[in-house]
Amino acid sequence: MRIDDSLVRELLNAPADDTVLVLLEGRAQVVDRAALDNERYHGAAVLMSRAEVVERLGTSSPADDDVRRLAASLQDAVDKLGA
């Protein structure tokens, strides 16, 4: 799965700041940080938390272009890792 603006929006729309975007087995998904204690998420790499995204973008309601740029930046980083 590619990291796209819909995933970043899903993260921004999460109710808790500690919700995270993770990469697990080549798939990106948004999960509650507490879920990472579950065996299902063993080995997941945390890419960013909701709080980090808000801090980076400066708002919890960023413009579509800003969301797209962040998603592209995250996808580029994941591509460089070979995930």
Side-chain angles (χ1 to χ4, degrees):
M1 172 182 255
R2 298 207 40 92
I3 299 172
D4 59 17
D5 55 325
S6 66
L7 272 173
V8 174
R9 283 279 179 209
E10 181 181 347
L11 182 59
L12 284 167
N13 291 332
D17 279 343
D18 65 346
T19 302
V20 292
L21 176 62
V22 300
L23 189 63
L24 179 63
E25 297 174 353
R27 293 182 317 139
Q29 51 192 306
V30 175
V31 298
D32 184 61
R33 187 176 292 274
L36 297 178
D37 293 334
N38 186 309
E39 183 65 29
R40 177 179 180 196
Y41 293 104
H42 180 75
V46 176
L47 300 177
M48 289 189 96
S49 70
R50 181 188 183 282
E52 291 169 327
V53 170
V54 170
E55 182 178 332
R56 183 166 175 179
L57 296 175
T59 180
S60 60
S61 301
D64 290 341
D65 286 344
D66 294 333
V67 171
R68 274 192 289 276
R69 278 192 290 275
L70 177 58
S73 176
L74 289 168
Q75 183 62 53
D76 184 57
V78 168
D79 289 344
K80 287 178 180 173
L81 291 172

